[in-house]
Amino acid sequence: AQRVTQPEKLLSVFKGAPVELKCNYSYSGSPELFWYVQYSRQRLQLLLRHISRESIKGFTADLNKGETSFHLKKPFAQEEDSAMYYCAPLYYNTDKLIFGTGTRLQVFP
Amino acid sequence: GAGVSQSPRYKVAKRGQDVALRCDPISGHVSLFWYQQALGQGPEFLTYFQNEAQLDKSGLPSDRFFAERPEGSVSTLKIQRTQQEDSAVYLCASSSGIGPYEQYFGPGTRLTVT
């Protein structure tokens, strides 16, 4: 079965500290990898995707096929980064996203 | 422009009642997805449409769940004889293409079965 593991339910840091949200996925073909974010009282939205190789709001994510990981990183966290983050691979043969259980990031001033 | 909309936003049903949840995708979007999100969990896939064709319904938990998209735009998720375990947020998402396109999510319908 296709699985996504986000080991941390909650990650708390102070403003300006580096952040790494972990994501490991089960291997089944070559999934495309996404990170979605949900800010308080807002809908789920795309943060970044591997295929674009871009940095969004200072976040980057590196795909490590050997470790089947797609960890999300930001060197200096900001208070506005506080949100729920979901890692979600998409398997080409299904078009569906498989979401992890999410990591709540809290950034304190 | 208008995003994905869902109605109602909140629904309380007595156990055994039937409910219908509506999703209006972004105009022109080919793909439409339904997800179920239980409290404290990530969204779980229910079903997927490409235009009016339901290509994957592997995530529907039982035959009490039924989804349709008859004209390839608006979609309805129907749950018959609701049970307490059906209580969750039901999310609809649409995307403009087939494959690894961004999925745009609606605000969700929070269903509470009492």
Side-chain angles (χ1 to χ4, degrees):
Chain A
Q2 298 150 347
R3 282 191 310 275
V4 183
T5 303
Q6 293 183 251
E8 303 117 342
K9 274 194 160 323
L10 175 65
L11 190 59
S12 299
V13 300
F14 286 102
K15 176 182 169 182
V19 168
E20 182 179 52
L21 287 78
K22 293 187 167 54
C23 171
N24 287 87
Y25 61 93
S26 62
Y27 176 78
S28 179
S30 297
E32 178 55 36
L33 281 304
F34 295 80
W35 276 96
Y36 277 80
V37 61
Q38 188 165 26
Y39 301 100
S40 179
R41 304 194 206 295
Q42 294 187 29
R43 60 186 69 188
L44 199 56
Q45 59 186 281
L46 177 68
L47 177 63
L48 59 78
R49 72 189 101 178
H50 170 252
I51 198 170
S52 302
R53 302 283 202 277
E54 54 194 351
S55 171
I56 304 293
K57 299 185 179 181
F59 284 96
T60 58
D62 292 323
L63 176 61
N64 185 323
K65 288 189 178 180
E67 295 180 359
T68 58
S69 68
F70 190 55
H71 303 327
L72 183 68
K73 300 177 185 178
K74 184 168 182 176
F76 308 103
Q78 303 298 313
E79 288 178 70
E80 55 266 30
D81 296 328
S82 296
M84 196 74 184
Y85 291 80
Y86 294 98
C87 177
L90 182 147
Y91 293 86
Y92 281 94
N93 62 338
T94 63
D95 277 0
K96 63 190 179 192
L97 292 167
I98 310 295
F99 285 89
T101 51
T103 297
R104 179 168 298 283
L105 175 63
Q106 287 183 332
V107 182
F108 295 108
Chain B
V4 177
S5 60
Q6 292 184 246
S7 60
R9 293 292 313 280
Y10 303 91
K11 176 70 180 177
V12 179
K14 287 193 186 332
R15 190 168 52 189
Q17 279 185 332
D18 297 349
V19 298
L21 312 181
R22 178 187 167 107
C23 171
D24 284 80
I26 293 172
S27 177
H29 275 195
V30 169
S31 299
L32 186 145
F33 304 82
W34 284 99
Y35 295 87
Q36 179 190 59
Q37 186 171 22
L39 193 62
Q41 301 296 316
E44 288 197 12
F45 171 83
L46 293 177
T47 188
Y48 160 51
F49 290 86
Q50 200 178 100
N51 297 305
E52 68 277 5
Q54 188 174 21
L55 297 188
D56 188 343
K57 53 182 181 179
S58 62
L60 296 177
S62 75
D63 58 9
R64 295 186 296 103
F65 286 71
F66 171 78
E68 60 183 5
R69 192 186 185 199
E71 295 177 1
S73 55
V74 171
S75 177
T76 304
L77 177 66
K78 297 178 180 177
I79 310 173
Q80 296 178 321
R81 304 182 303 281
T82 52
Q83 305 294 313
Q84 281 195 311
E85 62 262 28
D86 300 335
S87 296
V89 175
Y90 290 85
L91 296 170
C92 175
S94 70
S95 71
S96 59
I98 299 160
Y101 286 83
E102 176 178 357
Q103 292 186 20
Y104 294 83
F105 283 80
T109 295
R110 182 178 296 279
L111 172 65
T112 302
V113 182
T114 60

